[in-house]
Amino acid sequence: MSKFIATLAIIVLIICACKVRQPITTPVSVPPAIADNPIGNRSSHTPKNIIFLIGDGMGLTQITLGMMENNNYTSLERYPVIGLHKPTASNKLITDSAAAATAFACGIKTYNGAIGVGPDSMAVKTILEMAEDKSMATGLVATSTIIHATPASFAAHNKYRKNYEEIAADMIDADVDVLIGGGKKYFERRESDNQNLLTALEEKNYYVSDFRENINDLSIDTSKNIAYFTADTDPLQAMMGRDYLLPATKFTLDYLKKKSGDNGFFTMIEGSQIDWGGHANEHDYVVSEYLDFDPVINYAYEWAKADGETLVVITADHETGGLAIQPESTPDSLVTAFTSTYHTGTMIPVFAFGPGSEVFSGIYENTAIFDKMVGVLGME
Ligand code: MG
Ligand code: ZN
């Protein structure tokens, strides 16, 4: 009998070894929308508003590290529903922020570098544009430039993420109600043409302002759209004094609630630079950016709880840096290591709270986040 078990064990081992050695010839296969997810995309609880929070590069280790550096607490603990998404692109196993944000915004797998376009470079409608079509109010807030891959993929369509001036021109046509982020120069002092897109924004009924006006002084005048530029190019690191994400979030949620009336709103708010800390392999950069984002996670929860009709969804596009918390770490001295200066392929946690949140439980493709948001809003 034991001989039989030993033989069986060897056979199993051989089978496993063969499986491991199989090369991944087609790295990305996209299953039918919900075939592998029994929970589906529909809920009997329909939210009126969606707050979608993205921590760029915020993998599970970034969350864990931020938590450990914050007396072992993260505001994500308040979120009752947790899932995981598979962060792959159409042409690469390891996604970039553009393909990942396009997956969230449009529900399609596309190639790295794509902004709101499919593998054929053709524009695909985004959830923000669908919300605009339904007369919902919309907002985009980032701690990068506003034309950077993550926010851009919700309101622009371009074959390549670094065509910043083209993306800026495209974004002013999207009629997003609130735009808050850096990158003023791509609108104002352009190299590819002589247009001043700040003037164009004003002609499209935007109140245009920038970092010279204290963000806490912005008035909630919903007769105008808002474009507030936090920097000429990239905003500062949080460690260098950038502190607008929480006040920008407070302003945006109150503005959108007031403006949307009965129609509801969709807003994406990004902690953009957790990713940049990962690329730089800098422990303190990652932690400080995470801790800049955490109060937004907390505020969104409080705001949605008080509102009662708002779904909050929080995730990342991918992990950055292959971050590890090393075995020599102690509670007082966390030792970290990085395996890469780029993104890695680990699955990414998703947190949700509010009406419809239960559909975010489970494991699914990154594109399913679009399917689920659109599904619970009943927008298909
Ligand atoms: Mg980003
Ligand atoms: Zn990155």
Side-chain angles (χ1 to χ4, degrees):
M1 189 63 188
S2 65
K3 209 172 179 185
F4 171 71
I5 291 171
T7 311
L8 198 67
I10 287 166
I11 291 168
V12 168
L13 276 173
I14 289 169
I15 291 169
C16 290
C18 289
K19 276 212 155 145
V20 167
R21 287 205 201 93
Q22 271 179 6
I24 302 171
T25 45
T26 44
V28 180
S29 68
V30 185
I34 57 167
D36 56 349
N37 176 23
I39 294 171
N41 305 327
R42 290 272 184 179
S43 171
S44 53
H45 311 286
T46 303
K48 186 169 153 189
N49 315 306
I50 292 185
I51 303 169
F52 186 33
L53 303 180
I54 299 178
D56 199 315
M58 186 181 74
L60 192 51
T61 316
Q62 283 77 3
I63 292 168
T64 311
L65 182 63
M67 177 189 77
M68 287 177 168
E69 293 274 23
N70 187 44
N71 295 316
N72 202 33
Y73 177 75
T74 166
S75 299
L76 289 168
E77 292 173 37
R78 306 187 78 177
Y79 285 76
V81 177
I82 301 175
L84 291 168
H85 79 71
K86 305 178 192 178
T88 54
S90 69
N91 68 329
K92 297 272 189 192
L93 188 65
I94 308 303
T95 190
D96 79 339
S97 297
T102 301
F104 300 151
C106 306
I108 54 154
K109 293 278 185 182
T110 191
Y111 61 90
N112 284 348
I115 300 292
V117 299
D120 57 359
S121 302
M122 298 298 285
V124 178
K125 187 164 271 199
T126 74
I127 186 171
L128 184 144
E129 291 165 336
M130 293 165 76
E132 283 284 335
D133 287 349
K134 287 195 69 182
S135 301
M136 295 171 77
T138 58
L140 292 174
V141 179
T143 50
S144 61
T145 61
I146 198 65
I147 39 84
H148 209 260
T150 312
S153 296
F154 286 82
H157 305 277
N158 200 285
K159 62 183 187 303
Y160 183 48
R161 59 182 290 170
K162 293 202 171 159
N163 292 334
Y164 293 131
E165 293 190 356
E166 288 179 18
I167 290 168
D170 203 27
M171 261 177 115
I172 71 168
D173 286 334
D175 285 321
V176 186
D177 296 88
V178 179
L179 292 171
I180 301 177
K184 188 183 179 200
K185 83 162 191 166
Y186 300 100
F187 294 79
E188 187 182 36
R189 300 185 313 285
R190 294 159 61 82
E191 289 168 13
S192 58
D193 58 41
N194 292 321
Q195 289 187 73
N196 184 339
L197 297 185
L198 299 186
T199 308
L201 280 165
E202 282 167 353
E203 283 165 2
K204 289 182 69 88
N205 195 37
Y206 275 84
Y207 173 70
V208 179
S209 182
D210 65 24
F211 46 87
R212 290 168 298 184
E213 176 179 7
N214 190 320
I215 194 163
N216 295 299
D217 296 338
L218 276 180
S219 83
I220 300 179
D221 172 7
T222 55
S223 69
K224 296 231 172 229
N225 290 346
I226 308 289
Y228 178 88
F229 292 96
T230 58
D232 205 38
T233 54
D234 289 337
L236 294 173
Q237 299 181 15
M239 286 191 292
M240 295 172 180
R242 190 200 73 237
D243 58 1
Y244 70 77
L245 191 58
L246 183 59
T249 299
K250 292 178 176 177
F251 171 84
T252 300
L253 299 185
D254 290 344
Y255 173 97
L256 293 177
K257 184 179 169 83
K258 186 176 172 196
K259 182 155 194 177
S260 61
D262 292 332
N263 295 330
F265 66 77
F266 172 86
T267 186
M268 192 290 295
I269 300 171
E270 185 195 23
S272 315
Q273 296 195 31
I274 303 166
D275 174 68
W276 301 0
H279 283 291
N281 282 191
E282 286 180 24
H283 174 119
D284 291 350
Y285 195 177
V286 171
V287 169
S288 56
E289 292 298 332
Y290 181 78
L291 295 180
D292 181 65
F293 193 45
D294 191 271
V296 173
I297 292 166
N298 186 55
Y299 185 80
Y301 177 89
E302 292 284 351
W303 196 96
K305 192 172 153 201
D307 180 68
E309 297 183 294
T310 299
L311 169 66
V312 187
V313 180
I314 307 169
T315 194
D317 41 6
H318 49 69
E319 196 275 347
T320 305
L323 178 60
I325 298 166
Q326 296 290 82
E328 59 268 38
S329 296
T330 66
D332 299 325
S333 173
L334 294 162
V335 180
T336 46
F338 294 85
T339 63
S340 170
T341 56
Y342 192 59
H343 311 153
T344 70
T346 185
M347 288 200 288
I348 296 297
V350 182
F351 304 84
F353 168 74
S357 58
E358 74 278 3
V359 305
F360 290 88
S361 168
I363 299 180
Y364 38 82
E365 293 293 330
N366 55 357
T367 50
I369 291 177
F370 167 89
D371 298 331
K372 291 171 187 300
M373 291 194 294
V374 163
V376 296
L377 285 172
M379 287 209 304
E380 306 103 310

